[in-house]
Amino acid sequence: MDFNIKRAFEIVKGKLEGWLETLTEMLPNFVVAILVVIIFYFLSKIVRYGAKKVMSRFIEQTAIIGLLSTIISIITVGSGLVIALNLLHLSKAVTSILAGAGIAGLALGFAFQDISANFISGIIMAFKKPLSVGDIIETNGHTGFVKEIQLRATVLETFQGLHVIIPNRLIFENALTNFTKTHRRRVDLYVGVSYAEDLEQVKEVTEKAVLQNEYLTPEKDVKLVYEGFGDSSINYRVMFWVNYSPSKPNYLEAQSDAIMAINKAYKKAGITIPFPIRTLDFGIKGGEQLRQHLGTNEDQ
């Protein structure tokens, strides 16, 4: 019995001596590892602040700036931990942690692929800047002002005052029309005049009427082109450019004023915009009178 107790004591003593020896050998590495973690922690703060300053020059969305700077900070701290574990000769633990993180990331990517796609699309849009807050855009069947660009979706306010939330993936993958990038927009009006009118006069009167539009760009470019012979009119298109911005989207006002000015000028000049005309022919060859088909007498 005494022999077993003595034997157990020797085993414990041996283990403790081995641990103490190992601790003595690893103490410098342990201290350095702690210092590395502390240095990288403070370094992550500096890197995060610097990343925010740099990204604020290229990205307008504060949420995306905050997220990306946080990710960079976490990567910096993670790099410090990897270095610290390698100093403690725990490289296998580092490999296992990285492998586990990769598998977990892959599983989460499949589970939340739609959210991931919207998130990645939002980041790409933040750098490429196809749209900004306040722009007037048309995408996915909706037109309105960009009110907010989030990490996952973009919020539009339509001209009717409705809020529409569109996932960033749909905006990134589908066609997008930004009406405010050039700050100009062309108005196209389609009109028809009677075959009896003098087309040179029509062109002169129309262009003079449109030139009075207060929304025209400084260049005041007005162009009229005849496009074809209609059923009851000669059809033309008049085109002119107007100033256009989110603060003053005057497209509809400019179009309305041009229609009223053209109508007023035509009445003053005696130019006719004809009603649709239909000619009815009776009989197979045409040219017959209606009363012949109704069976009426010529005296009636």
Side-chain angles (χ1 to χ4, degrees), residues 118 121 139-140 166-175:
N118 289 323
S121 299
T139 181
N140 294 278
I166 304 176
N168 288 331
R169 177 178 60 85
L170 297 180
I171 297 177
F172 183 73
E173 293 177 351
N174 296 317

Side-chain angles (χ1 to χ4, degrees), residues 11-235:
I11 293 174
V12 172
K13 181 180 178 182
K15 286 289 184 180
L16 291 175
E17 289 177 351
W19 289 349
L20 181 60
E21 183 179 353
T22 302
L23 179 61
T24 304
E25 292 177 357
M26 294 298 297
L27 184 60
N29 290 353
F30 185 74
V31 173
V32 173
I34 292 177
L35 290 175
V36 166
V37 172
I38 294 173
I39 291 172
F40 271 83
Y41 173 76
F42 287 103
L43 180 62
S44 68
K45 299 289 186 181
I46 299 173
V47 170
R48 182 177 182 180
Y49 177 77
K52 283 185 176 181
K53 295 286 288 184
V54 172
M55 287 188 291
S56 62
R57 300 177 182 177
F58 307 99
I59 304 175
E60 298 177 355
Q61 293 77 25
T62 55
I64 294 178
I65 293 175
L67 178 65
L68 292 179
S69 60
T70 300
I71 292 175
I72 294 173
S73 176
I74 292 173
I75 291 174
T76 304
V77 174
S79 301
L81 289 174
V82 170
I83 294 174
L85 291 174
N86 282 321
L87 289 173
L88 297 174
H89 304 295
L90 297 175
S91 56
K92 291 184 178 180
V94 174
T95 304
S96 300
I97 291 172
L98 293 177
I103 294 173
L106 185 62
L108 290 173
F110 278 110
F112 302 101
Q113 54 183 339
D114 289 338
I115 296 176
S116 302
N118 289 323
F119 170 73
I120 295 172
S121 299
I123 294 177
I124 295 174
M125 288 166 53
F127 281 99
K128 288 192 172 183
K129 292 185 178 179
L131 68 162
S132 303
V133 174
D135 286 353
I136 299 175
I137 67 169
E138 179 181 0
T139 181
N140 294 278
H142 301 283
T143 304
F145 298 92
V146 178
K147 300 299 293 183
E148 186 180 358
I149 303 175
Q150 303 172 350
L151 292 176
R152 190 191 67 84
T154 297
V155 181
L156 294 187
E157 182 181 352
T158 67
F159 296 131
Q160 294 77 28
L162 302 176
H163 276 218
V164 181
I165 300 175
I166 304 176
N168 288 331
R169 177 178 60 85
L170 297 180
I171 297 177
F172 183 73
E173 293 177 351
N174 296 317
L176 167 68
T177 302
N178 193 324
F179 294 104
T180 54
K181 284 296 184 182
T182 58
H183 299 282
R184 296 203 316 165
R185 189 173 176 185
R186 196 178 78 181
V187 180
D188 290 18
L189 290 180
Y190 298 87
V191 192
V193 294
S194 171
Y195 276 90
E197 303 298 342
D198 181 354
L199 299 185
E200 292 292 336
Q201 181 193 14
V202 170
K203 183 175 181 180
E204 181 181 354
V205 171
T206 305
E207 289 179 349
K208 285 183 178 180
V210 175
L211 281 171
Q212 305 304 315
N213 198 302
E214 63 175 307
Y215 301 107
L216 287 179
T217 57
E219 297 83 4
K220 295 186 180 296
D221 296 327
V222 178
K223 187 174 183 179
L224 186 150
V225 291
Y226 290 99
E227 295 191 315
F229 298 93
D231 293 336
S232 56
S233 64
I234 297 179
N235 301 322

